[in-house]
Every structure is written in structure tokens, then in C-alpha cells.
Amino acid sequence: LPDVIVTGMVSKAQFEIAEIFKTKAKKLVAYFDAFSSILTEAAATPFLRESFEIWVPMQDQANQILAFNSKSVVKVVGQPSLERWGAKVEKDAVVKQLPHYNDRLPTILYAGGYGASYTEAFKIFLKATRNLTQYNIFISLHPKVDGSLEKDLMRKSKNKTAILIPNTIPTREIAALSDVVVSQNSTVGVQSLFTGKSVI
């Protein structure tokens, strides 16, 4: 058995596994990697009630946890993906993968999340961009979705301007080409801010 076990905080199953191992390992750490409020994540709440050590990206989240449970041990450790987002992107190589890219037009990237509000947010974005022919408009999928919902909604909305990007092109590479990033419940919004992008 390892001396230290680190788990995520996004599912009931992770909590149940953590409960099994918390008395067997010398240390059990629960890591919340999102930039959102930890108190809005139902799956994270059981971890906050227990005596786990909790790691978070931001001080605001640490303060929320301590207000919820003053006995918690909390460490602010940042978010490793920010280093990857800060790395140089070979824009010419990305453009070669985008047959519809027009370098004379500004670019909007929609980086979707998932969950209860996702479908409605995506419909709003499609409606808002339906007639924006003076922009490159790209849609990057969240890794947890397969694109079938997006394709169906794009067809129904009659949006001919937005282009769905295959998962083979990392979101951070499309973001590097973009002038504006639109984010729905996605860490891409914060990650893009760190690279100097305008974010909605």
C-alpha cells in the first residue's frame, strides 16, 4: 500500500474509495483542480466534512473550505495545467489542421463544459453567432463529450458559421489562435485569462 494516496473530488465513488483507504495509508490527500467555488460541487462536500488534507488551486477556495470546516487541513498548490497553457504554440502547424481558418478574420473560440446548464448555454452561443460571418468561430469539445449533441444542436440552429473542432486538436492550441474565448463551466476560461486572452 502506498504511503500517500491522492484522489480527485468529483464523484461519490472517489469519496467511497478514499474512505476505505484513509485509515490504511499514512496520508490521504483530496485534490480539487477546478477554479470554481468548491462549495458548489456536490461531490466535493463529503470530503470537506472529513479529516482529509485538501489541495486547491486558489486561496479563495481554501478560505471557503476553512469557513465550512475550520478543522480542515488545506494547501494552495496551484493548477499544473497553467504551465502547459503557458507553453509556446506553433500557430502555423495548428492552422494547417483548420481548412476553414481565415487569417484575415478575428477568431472566437467556444470552450464548452458539461452538466445541467451545458445544453442551454450552447444553444445561446449558436443563436448569438449564427450571423457572425466576419469571424472564424470554432467550438472545442470537453473531453467528456463525443460531439453528437453539439452536431445535432448546430444542425437544428442552422448555424453555418461555427465549426466543430476534432478532439485531436488540443483546446489550448485553438485558444492560441483566438482573439476571444467563450467558456461555459470550463477551466479553459481561467486558463485562457492566464495567456492574456479576452474571455467571456
Side-chain angles (χ1 to χ4, degrees):
L1 186 68
D3 291 330
V4 179
I5 295 175
V6 180
T7 179
M9 301 173 65
V10 296
S11 74
K12 186 177 179 181
Q14 285 177 316
F15 177 73
E16 290 169 353
I17 292 168
E19 282 281 274
I20 292 167
F21 285 107
K22 78 174 182 180
T23 57
K24 297 179 181 179
K26 289 181 182 175
K27 185 176 192 177
L28 194 138
V29 175
Y31 179 45
F32 184 79
D33 70 345
F35 294 102
S36 56
S37 167
I38 194 167
L39 299 183
T40 62
E41 302 292 334
T45 305
F47 289 92
L48 307 185
R49 293 192 183 107
E50 297 289 333
S51 56
F52 297 120
E53 182 171 312
I54 301 170
W55 293 358
V56 292
M58 302 184 303
Q59 186 63 50
D60 283 354
Q61 294 163 321
N63 296 344
Q64 290 173 352
I65 294 167
L66 291 170
F68 184 88
N69 180 353
S70 61
K71 295 179 181 176
S72 294
V73 176
V74 188
K75 290 187 179 175
V76 178
V77 296
Q79 225 281 10
S81 71
L82 294 178
E83 291 178 20
R84 194 168 57 252
W85 275 70
K88 189 173 187 304
V89 172
E90 295 297 331
K91 294 182 181 179
D92 290 344
V94 180
V95 168
K96 286 179 184 175
Q97 302 175 70
L98 301 171
H100 301 287
Y101 180 77
N102 183 337
D103 63 4
R104 294 184 301 277
L105 299 179
T107 299
I108 298 171
L109 169 65
Y110 182 82
Y114 60 93
S117 61
Y118 176 67
T119 301
E120 193 57 35
F122 190 63
K123 286 179 183 176
I124 292 168
F125 178 79
L126 291 174
K127 183 177 180 181
T129 59
R130 187 166 43 210
N131 298 315
L132 295 183
T133 56
Q134 69 275 33
Y135 294 89
N136 295 305
I137 301 173
F138 296 120
I139 297 162
S140 183
L141 297 172
H142 189 279
K144 289 187 179 181
V145 302
D146 65 3
S148 54
L149 171 70
E150 289 79 5
K151 287 174 189 171
D152 183 54
L153 292 175
M154 288 171 76
R155 182 181 51 77
K156 287 177 180 173
S157 74
K158 298 186 169 113
N159 185 317
K160 306 288 187 193
T161 61
I163 297 170
L164 197 60
I165 299 301
N167 280 338
T168 53
I169 307 176
T171 301
R172 76 176 189 90
E173 294 185 1
I174 303 296
L177 296 177
S178 302
D179 299 283
V180 177
V181 176
V182 181
S183 167
Q184 183 275 333
N185 193 29
S186 172
T187 55
V188 169
V190 176
Q191 290 161 330
S192 297
L193 281 173
F194 273 88
T195 66
K197 297 295 176 183
S198 295
V199 177
I200 297 172

